[in-house]
């Protein structure tokens, strides 16, 4: 009962969505659209579970005074502030406190975290691109050619040479052929994996996401 | 003035994140915990206003009585009840004894999207590719693409040991994979640095205004 | 622990420091490392260069969002400078909801710097939702899509806009976008109306746009910061683009050197280990 | 043509100003000059025959109708004063109905969309010069036909059927106990070794199921692998930390881990505080995970699922923290970074294969074998297509062009 019903639901909806792709009829697509929207709503509603978990974990940290509990207060506090400004008595329009906090705290924090990649990509290259094996060698050489081909200096180095010997040309060629061929292969294999998995889910063979077997 | 204050806050947070490059430290911990809290509050609010309120609360509580809306896509209030209910079912997870009920919503969601995903993937990643890769081996580039694709697929062939022809093909596949990985690694460097330049110009130009 | 092993064990924070310096320095001392102008950029430059001064305007669609600002804003600045330098009228609009402020600030800063006058030399239409619909609509009648400019003035009352009907009155459209907007201009302005379209996109997107160039659907293309830098070289006012490319070049080269050093160290250390093993044996 | 238009405009002006004395309405010269179409009392000649038909003998929902017409003689030539074509739609023959759209001169084609399938529509078109409108040209009533099958997608259906057949056949074989060989995937041993090492060192295992939503198949595959990992950690009572970026994934992960601990008879070792929701915001999540790596010092980091730009942020920090790292994703854009910065990486399909392989469940192996033989089928089709193309029979390959 606990498992059969959800599996039955999964099967019915899954098959319906599968069919929808091939049937242009309005009734079908309208129903599919509606169900897609249900999905987004379920996800939107689920955020409360996440926040609940967040509160529980940090609350326990604070109560146990386990190290870094001060920061947990910070997390809960900043969340509370956001909720206060965004709550029914607040507003989320442009210029609102809610919006300001988003634009001037969350956005810069996120884009700075993102920009850390500039540093990490360098350190990763330094330590990972070692000629340990022939394969590693290929990785290394391809990377170097493309890096040179991307910057004006690279162009500068090979100016004068016939077009098909310049680094930029080499770069584009590597990106357009070997690179693309390999990625097509990965994507095709992965696609089959996705479909097999999808089928297993619909048929209820794959059910780990519902929590193990029983 | 107000902007200056906000810019300064942004700048301080930016620097706190960069301090992580030296080592984990109170400033980074502060920034990290702050952004987690803010984003949690942010998404809770945004999800409510963007999905729950317009698609569930409004239609249901207006109980659009008398309007003829029936059938899917009509936005009829009783249709809005269903996702609302599914959403509520999720919350049974807060009560261990009935937590399993949440699986119903999960089942609908996962099942629906599993079915939804299959056909487009088949279309874009397999069918279209057959058309795109049915290339006569009449030019170097065609050979490159076909050989590369064959090799990679061979590498991902699990039903036999990689020996003999299959083994050789798989080796070719690895060659292409490695070249591909190296190339796209190098190709990405530029955009990553652009991000850093963006942040630095925020600090030097928008905040300190020294350049 | 010999020099090689030291190199292998180098604290990666030195690398971070080097990267940081390489990014910051060019802001203060632009090196102006050699930038070779590529054909796509040259063509876009020429297209702008052929527009008659004080006549039919260049339509610049600034469609980027904050995320891609560092790569695309330098393009906007360079193009605007070029146009204003030659007294070419410019109409600016945006198709990205978050683009309004960015487009406005870029336009106003350059206009002020070049002493241009609103309404006679340039004009800002603001944002309209519905990308493809907007582009198609403007092909029939601009005034139906943008009845008034961003500040509520009816187009008819704006000197430079008066009498403008549709793409027949626009010699060139340039879209700067980190998303599909640039393609939208090709599909909905070039295809149906034969409007000349140029584009500026992020470095990552650039490769996807080369086909449009060879097929002539785009008159020219700026790819990422490099495109901006090349344009700055053409109008010889070096700015963020070239600065950016300085940092880019330095860091790219730096990474390559690091890789080489890393390998020297790796092999040096390995040889030494081998030697020790043989001695031990 | 431009020139003729201007000339005609001027000519028109003269006639107007002459007519002016005869009391016809004045036309201010400058205004007229601005506009190729001088305001006159003469309507442009009507466009030629209008034809309407159901949009591309429909694979659509029957809600589109395609219209073609011939240019008005005054469009670009003649009196050269067509500013726009006006397309009208009506449910009855009697009235012109509503204005569908205005189309610029020179256009002769339009597809009217979002109509009611099956309903009858009467279309008419007029030429318009800004003031006057020509007589409407009507055409026979049309209606969109509803289709029940998208014929252009037949090839997709066929190959899907083939694939599913293969999968089901192998699954049945497996259930019957047939020995299905599947070669060992190197990355998989790595997972077990990594977890083993963490156990020896008495330090936790960090398992990141990606930042994909649970509808992402990579995430589902990841959850399957997670249940396998959880069983190992449960046996050795090694703490297992699972940070998530999606609430639903978090609750699914809770189920999976709790279940795994129960199955190996360690229900009490399960610590709910270790399955954490951090943030839906990509880099807030990455930042928080980095924090975990540096403060709770996991000895093994497993990244399995859908990753975007945060991949390298995690892997580099994890390396600095000295953990063994095994990644698995089908995100091609991120594979280069995992491959370079992790000890082992499950690439693309290997991620899906892993879930089947680990749970050693014959049913799951069926899917793997099915995919394998589907690859063979695909390659055969490509080769055949290439040959036929070469010989000039393109229809075969075109059958696979579905967009």
């Amino acid at each position: 009962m606990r498992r059969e019903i959800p599996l039955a639901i999964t099967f019915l909806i899954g098959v319906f969505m599968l069919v929808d792709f091939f049937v242009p009829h309005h009734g079908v697509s309208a129903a599919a659209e509606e169900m897609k929207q249900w999905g987004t709503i379920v996800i939107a509603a689920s955020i409360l579970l996440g926040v609940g978990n967040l509160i529980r974990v940090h609350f326990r940290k604070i109560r146990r005074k386990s190290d870094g509990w001060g920061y947990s207060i910070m997390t809960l506090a900043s969340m509370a502030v956001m909720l206060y400004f965004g709550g029914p008595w607040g507003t989320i329009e442009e210029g609102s406190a809610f919006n300001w906090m988003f634009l001037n705290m969350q956005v810069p924090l996120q884009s700075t975290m993102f920009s850390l990649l500039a540093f990490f990509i360098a350190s990763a290259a330094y330590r990972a691109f070692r000629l340990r094996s022939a394969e590693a060698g290929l990785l290394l050489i391809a990377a170097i050619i493309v890096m040179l081909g991307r910057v004006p200096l690279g162009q500068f180095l090979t100016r004068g040479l016939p077009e098909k010997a310049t680094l930029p040309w080499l770069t584009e060629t590597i990106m357009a052929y070997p690179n693309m061929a390999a990625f097509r292969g990965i994507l095709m294999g992965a696609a089959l994996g996705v479909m097999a998995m999808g089928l297993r889910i619909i048929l209820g063979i794959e059910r780990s996401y519902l929590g193990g077997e029983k | 003035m107000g902007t200056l204050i906000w810019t300064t806050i942004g700048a301080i947070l930016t620097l706190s994140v960069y301090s992580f490059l030296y080592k984990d430290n109170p400033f980074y911990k502060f920034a990290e915990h702050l952004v987690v809290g803010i984003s949690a509050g942010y998404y809770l609010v945004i999800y409510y206003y963007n999905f729950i309120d317009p698609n569930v609360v409004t239609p249901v509580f207006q109980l659009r009585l008398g309007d003829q809306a029936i059938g899917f896509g009509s936005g009829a209030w009783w249709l809005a009840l269903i996702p609302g209910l599914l959403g509520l079912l999720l919350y049974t997870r807060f009560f261990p004894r009935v937590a399993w009920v949440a699986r119903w919503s999960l089942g609908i969601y996962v099942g629906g999207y599993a079915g939804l995903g299959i056909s487009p993937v088949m279309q874009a990643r397999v069918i279209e590719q057959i058309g795109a890769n049915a290339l006569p081996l009449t030019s170097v580039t065609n050979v490159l693409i076909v050989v590369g694709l064959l090799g990679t697929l061979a590498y991902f062939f699990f039903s036999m040991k990689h020996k003999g022809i299959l083994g050789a093909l798989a080796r070719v596949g690895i060659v292409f994979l490695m070249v591909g990985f190296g190339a796209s690694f190098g190709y990405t460097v530029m955009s990553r640095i652009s991000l850093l330049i963006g942040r630095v110009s925020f600090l030097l130009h928008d905040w300190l205004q020294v350049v | 622990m010999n020099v090689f092993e030291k190199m292998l064990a180098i604290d990666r924070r030195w690398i971070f420091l080097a990267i940081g310096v390489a990014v910051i320095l060019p802001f203060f001392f632009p090196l102006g490392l050699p930038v070779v102008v590529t054909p796509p950029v040259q063509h876009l430059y020429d297209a702008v260069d052929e527009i008659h001064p004080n006549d039919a305007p260049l339509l610049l669609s600034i469609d980027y969002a904050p995320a891609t600002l560092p790569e695309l804003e330098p393009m906007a600045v360079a193009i605007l400078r070029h146009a204003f330098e030659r007294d070419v009228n410019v109409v600016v609009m945006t198709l990205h909801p978050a683009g309004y402020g960015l487009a406005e600030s870029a336009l106003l800063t350059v206009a002020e710097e070049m002493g241009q006058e609103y309404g006679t030399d340039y004009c800002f239409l603001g944002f309209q939702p519905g990308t493809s619909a907007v582009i198609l609509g403007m092909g029939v009648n601009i005034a139906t899509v943008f009845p008034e400019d961003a500040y509520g003035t009816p187009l008819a009352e704006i000197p430079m806009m008066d009498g403008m009907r549709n793409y027949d009155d626009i010699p060139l459209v340039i879209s700067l976008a980190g998303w599909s907007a640039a393609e939208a201009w090709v599909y909905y302005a070039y295809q149906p109306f034969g409007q000349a379209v140029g584009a500026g996109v992020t470095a990552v997107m650039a490769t996807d746009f080369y086909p449009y160039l060879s097929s002539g659907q785009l008159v020219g293309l700026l790819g990422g910061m490099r495109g901006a830098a090349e344009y700055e070289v053409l109008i010889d006012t070096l700015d963020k683009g070239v600065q950016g490319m300085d940092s880019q070049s330095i860091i790219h080269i730096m990474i390559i050197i690091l890789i080489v050093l890393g390998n020297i160290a790796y092999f040096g250390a390995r040889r030494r280990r081998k030697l020790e093993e043989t001695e031990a044996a | 043509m431009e020139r003729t238009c201007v000339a005609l405009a001027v000519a028109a002006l003269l006639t107007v100003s002459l007519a002016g004395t005869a009391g016809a309405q004045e036309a201010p010269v400058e205004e007229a000059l601005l506009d190729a179409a001088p305001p006159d009392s003469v309507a442009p000649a009507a466009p030629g025959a209008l034809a309407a038909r159901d949009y591309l003998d429909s694979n659509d929902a029957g809600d589109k109708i395609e219209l073609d017409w011939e240019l008005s003689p005054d469009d670009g030539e003649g009196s050269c004063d067509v500013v726009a074509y006006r397309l009208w739609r009506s449910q009855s023959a009697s009235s012109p109905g509503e204005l569908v759209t205005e189309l610029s001169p020179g256009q002769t084609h339009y597809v009217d969309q979002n109509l009611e399938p099956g309903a009858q529509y009467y279309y008419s078109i007029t030429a318009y010069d800004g003031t006057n409108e020509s007589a409407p040209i009507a055409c026979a009533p049309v209606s969109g036909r509803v289709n029940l099958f998208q014929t252009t997608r037949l090839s997709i259906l066929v190959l899907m059927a083939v694939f599913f057949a293969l999968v089901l056949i192998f699954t049945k074989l497996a259930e019957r106990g047939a020995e299905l060989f599947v070669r060992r995937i190197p990355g998989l041993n790595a997972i077990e070794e990594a977890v083993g090492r963490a156990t020896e060192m008495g330090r936790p295992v960090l398992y990141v199921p990606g930042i994909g939503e649970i509808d992402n198949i990579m995430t589902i595959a990841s959850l399957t692998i997670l249940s396998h990992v959880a069983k190992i950690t449960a046996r050795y009572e090694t703490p297992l930390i699972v940070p998530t970026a999606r609430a639903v994934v978090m609750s699914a992960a809770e189920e999976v881990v709790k279940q795994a601990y129960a199955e190996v008879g360690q229900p009490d070792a399960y610590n709910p505080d270790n399955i954490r929701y951090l943030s839906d915001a990509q880099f807030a999540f990455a930042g928080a995970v980095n924090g975990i790596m540096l403060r709770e010092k996991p000895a093994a980091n497993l990244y399995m699922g859908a990753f975007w730009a945060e991949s390298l942020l995690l892997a580099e920090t994890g390396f600095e923290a000295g953990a063994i790292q095994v990644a698995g994703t089908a995100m091609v854009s991120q594979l280069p970074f995992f491959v370079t910065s992790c000890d082992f990486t499950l690439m693309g399909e290997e991620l899906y294969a892993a879930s089947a392989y680990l749970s050693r469940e014959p049913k799951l192996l069926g899917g793997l074998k099915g995919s394998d033989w589907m690859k063979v089928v695909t390659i055969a089709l490509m080769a055949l297509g290439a040959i036929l193309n070469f010989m000039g029979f393109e229809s075969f390959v075109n059958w696979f062009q579905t967009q």
Side-chain angles (χ1 to χ4, degrees), chain C residues 2-43:
Chain C
N2 73 346
V3 56
F4 295 126
E5 280 148 343
K6 282 207 191 69
M7 273 170 72
L8 280 179
I10 183 182
D11 185 335
R12 65 174 189 169
R13 282 177 289 191
W14 290 111
I15 299 176
F16 294 164
L17 184 66
I19 300 284
V21 173
V23 169
I24 294 171
L25 275 190
F27 275 90
F28 297 97
F29 320 102
L31 306 176
L33 289 174
V35 172
V36 187
V37 177
T38 51
V41 180
Q42 184 68 51
H43 294 146

Side-chain angles (χ1 to χ4, degrees), chain B residues 9-30:
Chain B
I9 295 177
I12 293 170
L13 295 177
T14 305
L15 292 171
S16 332
V17 172
Y18 283 137
S19 70
F20 177 75
L21 291 169
Y22 180 66
K23 70 190 218 317
D24 189 28
N25 66 76
F27 293 100
Y28 178 75
K29 288 183 191 160
F30 169 83

Side-chain angles (χ1 to χ4, degrees), chain A residues 21-22 53 60 110 123 127, chain D residues 150 153 273 275 283 316:
Chain A
F21 184 79
F22 298 96
N53 174 287
R60 288 209 194 146
Q110 285 230 71
S123 57
R127 90 156 196 283
Chain D
Q150 191 123 15
R153 292 179 170 174
D273 281 8
I275 318 290
F283 291 102
E316 270 301 285

Side-chain angles (χ1 to χ4, degrees), chain A residues 5-41:
Chain A
I5 291 183
L7 286 179
I9 300 173
T10 313
F11 177 78
L12 291 174
I13 303 246
V15 170
F16 181 82
M17 289 302 198
L18 194 56
V19 169
D20 164 59
F21 184 79
F22 298 96
V23 179
H25 190 286
H26 258 307
V28 180
S29 47
E33 280 311 312
E34 187 84 33
M35 290 178 194
K36 276 185 222 164
Q37 202 183 36
W38 294 356
T40 56
I41 293 170

